[in-house]
Amino acid sequence: PLLPEGGLGALYGAAWLRAWLDRASGLSFDDAQAAEVGALAERKLVDLFDVAEETALANGRAWILRHDLPLTKGLRSSLGRMEALARDLELEPLLVFLADAGVPGPLDELVRAEIPRLMAALLVLAGRVIAVLEPENASPVERLELLLRPAPGRPTRWELERAARVLDLTL
């Protein structure tokens, strides 16, 4: 399930989503790529609430509280920097999307207030992970090392460093 047919791009316009992602991530997306990143963030938002629902139920509640959300250190760090970007995302369409995706209510007011920041953080994290996976500033030696892996099946130093950076962003 997506936000209105076509997701965030349909809700706000493909050009708006692309410009928002470009500004927030420092990368340059085309419309199709921006739509893919938007759909990924939508799926991950639902995943967060699926886990939160399970946690709330395990604690004898139908009501989802903020501490039920599986917010890792990396995600919490990103949330702290999302206030300005989250202002561009409207809460009501995100609530409708979550309801349509099967996320049960009721949600605590603190959780409801976090939803635009969660979506902004997931969108930005996707861009940051992409930048880590294929950085523009990779040296020719690093690019060659990636292409000509000296030992087949054995990751390079550069790949290990990138994996660590991705995990730092997300966990």
Side-chain angles (χ1 to χ4, degrees):
L2 298 172
L3 285 163
E5 189 65 34
L8 288 170
L11 179 64
Y12 296 104
W16 178 92
L17 178 59
R18 189 183 67 250
W20 190 96
L21 283 170
D22 290 356
R23 185 179 80 241
S25 71
L27 298 172
S28 180
F29 294 92
D30 65 27
D31 287 350
Q33 292 168 325
E36 246 182 277
V37 170
L40 172 63
E42 291 167 11
R43 288 191 309 272
K44 296 299 108 188
L45 185 67
V46 170
D47 289 349
L48 285 173
F49 279 93
D50 284 347
V51 173
E53 178 188 12
E54 291 170 8
T55 302
L57 290 173
N59 288 300
R61 288 181 277 104
W63 194 266
I64 295 175
L65 302 175
R66 188 175 191 279
H67 64 265
D68 295 325
L69 290 164
L71 303 180
T72 63
K73 182 179 178 181
L75 187 52
R76 283 193 319 265
S77 174
S78 291
L79 281 173
R81 297 184 301 267
M82 290 300 126
E83 197 62 42
L85 292 169
R87 287 187 200 118
D88 294 338
L89 299 172
E90 298 172 31
L91 175 61
E92 286 308 313
L94 293 170
L95 289 172
V96 169
F97 160 70
L98 288 171
D100 289 349
V103 172
L107 302 174
D108 180 72
E109 284 305 310
L110 292 174
V111 172
R112 289 170 55 94
E114 267 317 271
I115 293 171
R117 284 191 336 153
L118 283 167
M119 179 57 86
L122 292 168
L123 288 165
V124 169
L125 278 173
R128 288 184 180 155
V129 168
I130 291 165
V132 166
L133 294 177
E134 281 299 324
E136 284 185 346
N137 62 353
S139 72
V141 170
E142 290 170 326
R143 290 187 189 277
L144 188 58
E145 188 177 89
L146 179 63
L147 292 172
L148 303 173
R149 191 180 271 169
R154 181 174 295 158
T156 65
R157 174 198 51 79
W158 189 51
E159 290 169 317
L160 294 171
E161 288 173 10
R162 289 184 310 158
R165 290 180 57 201
V166 168
L167 290 174
D168 286 344
L169 286 170
T170 57
L171 296 178

